[in-house]
Amino acid sequence: MKKLLGVALAGAFSLAASQAHAAGELYFYNWTDYTAPDLITKFEKETGIKVTVDTYDSNETLLAKLKSGATGYDLAVPSQNFVTIMVAENLLEEVDVSKMENFKHVAKAFRFPEWDPKQMFSSPYQMGTTSYALRTDAGVGDCSSLKEFFEPNEKASGSVGVFKTPEEVANMGHIYLGQEFCTEKTEDLKALQALLQKQKEHVKVFSSEGTMDRLGSGVTTISNAWNGDAMKQRLAGQKVKYCFPKEGVVGWYDSLVIPKGAKNVENAKTFMNWLMKPENMAIQSDFAKYANPIEGSGKHMSKDMATSPEVSVPTVPVKFGRSCGPKYVKAIDKIWTKLLQ
Ligand code: N2P
């Protein structure tokens, strides 16, 4: 009997082991500093699926990767305007997110968004704003106007950090200049180019990674920033302030999508569904310091999220990036290539 039990147990054990193996893998391609390590550990433990995370620095880099063909990735995280482009270019698998069990936790206002009206391709990740942050001890401004970033004072000269790719910077420029997003007017584009070229005289670095570490350590005094990254620096005790200038900030809503041709579509869907559970999404928001549209996730988060000045937008306009026409995209590419020369 004892022996029999032993054999049965051994059998059960090897079955469990092979199930864990069969659960397989998930290749997750995400922005730098945007995947909570605890989230991945918990997911692996609960599902047996092994996750590998690779990172990128911008929507532009992600789009270029997906366009280059088979990427080997099962999940990626574009912002709303890039979901539009990826759907139009047939770069995504259809997943029918509204049929998933945990879709019920998505706040009504965020269901079936304009960029994915049937919720066929994308499930929620995080949302936030793009602006600039500054060192409060550097005399470079008080966060009142985008002028501080685009036309910095002499104290900021030589220590400005700007993102490496144009989309969000151009949109901030449009806001500062009072222009429409996606403008194709020659005079608008000329004015934007002049503004960026002038700003360049004060720029220390064009980079979208490590921006807040450089600000925290004083390599830069004023820098492009996402609100969550800036909040992390403040909580770490640095004299860093995220700015909501009077002209406004750029808004974004990032989603999980499955690149066309992904090898582990079922595992990617499992992750999408799993992340819509309030207690799981809370882990991600707590780590990255961004808001999310999952109802009930707030009560699982640390207090600093509820009271954070970086997350609650004061009364300044928030303008969400849109996908623009080819004429605009070409013009911005040209402006940016020249800028980085
Ligand atoms: C965090 C990445 C923020 C994503 N480093 C902005 N869409």
Side-chain angles (χ1 to χ4, degrees), residues 56-190:
Y56 54 84
D57 66 347
S58 63
N59 279 308
E60 285 100 330
T61 303
L62 169 61
L63 179 62
K65 186 83 180 176
L66 296 197
K67 279 171 117 170
S68 75
T71 60
Y73 295 119
D74 303 309
L75 270 181
V77 190
S79 304
Q80 74 289 344
N81 42 345
F82 281 73
V83 173
T84 308
I85 300 172
M86 289 168 189
V87 170
E89 302 205 10
N90 198 21
L91 296 169
L92 305 179
E93 294 282 340
E94 289 198 7
V95 275
D96 219 348
V97 171
S98 71
K99 303 269 159 40
M100 293 181 181
E101 192 196 334
N102 292 323
F103 185 71
K104 58 179 184 268
H105 299 297
V106 179
K108 289 230 166 62
F110 294 97
R111 295 183 192 177
F112 308 105
E114 190 189 315
W115 54 91
D116 188 10
K118 293 189 175 150
Q119 203 87 52
M120 208 31 105
F121 301 94
S122 63
S123 70
Y125 196 68
Q126 305 266 270
M127 57 208 199
T129 58
T130 306
S131 177
Y132 64 99
L134 51 76
R135 288 195 62 93
T136 51
D137 59 355
V140 297
D142 59 5
C143 286
S144 55
S145 166
L146 279 166
K147 185 175 183 20
E148 297 170 354
F149 176 67
F150 282 114
E151 302 179 88
N153 70 21
E154 66 290 348
K155 291 216 170 102
S157 194
S159 63
V160 178
V162 176
F163 284 157
K164 194 178 173 187
T165 53
E167 187 240 336
E168 295 171 285
V169 187
N171 282 342
M172 284 172 64
H174 294 318
I175 292 176
Y176 179 49
L177 296 170
Q179 302 171 346
E180 294 298 317
F181 284 4
C182 302
T183 177
E184 294 180 358
K185 289 189 195 143
T186 313
E187 67 270 25
D188 284 353
L189 293 164
K190 272 204 175 131

Side-chain angles (χ1 to χ4, degrees), residues 31-34 59 77 79 130 168 208 226 229 252 254 288 290:
W31 302 69
T32 310
D33 295 330
Y34 205 30
N59 279 308
V77 190
S79 304
T130 306
E168 295 171 285
S208 306
W226 294 298
D229 293 12
W252 46 263
D254 294 343
Y290 296 108

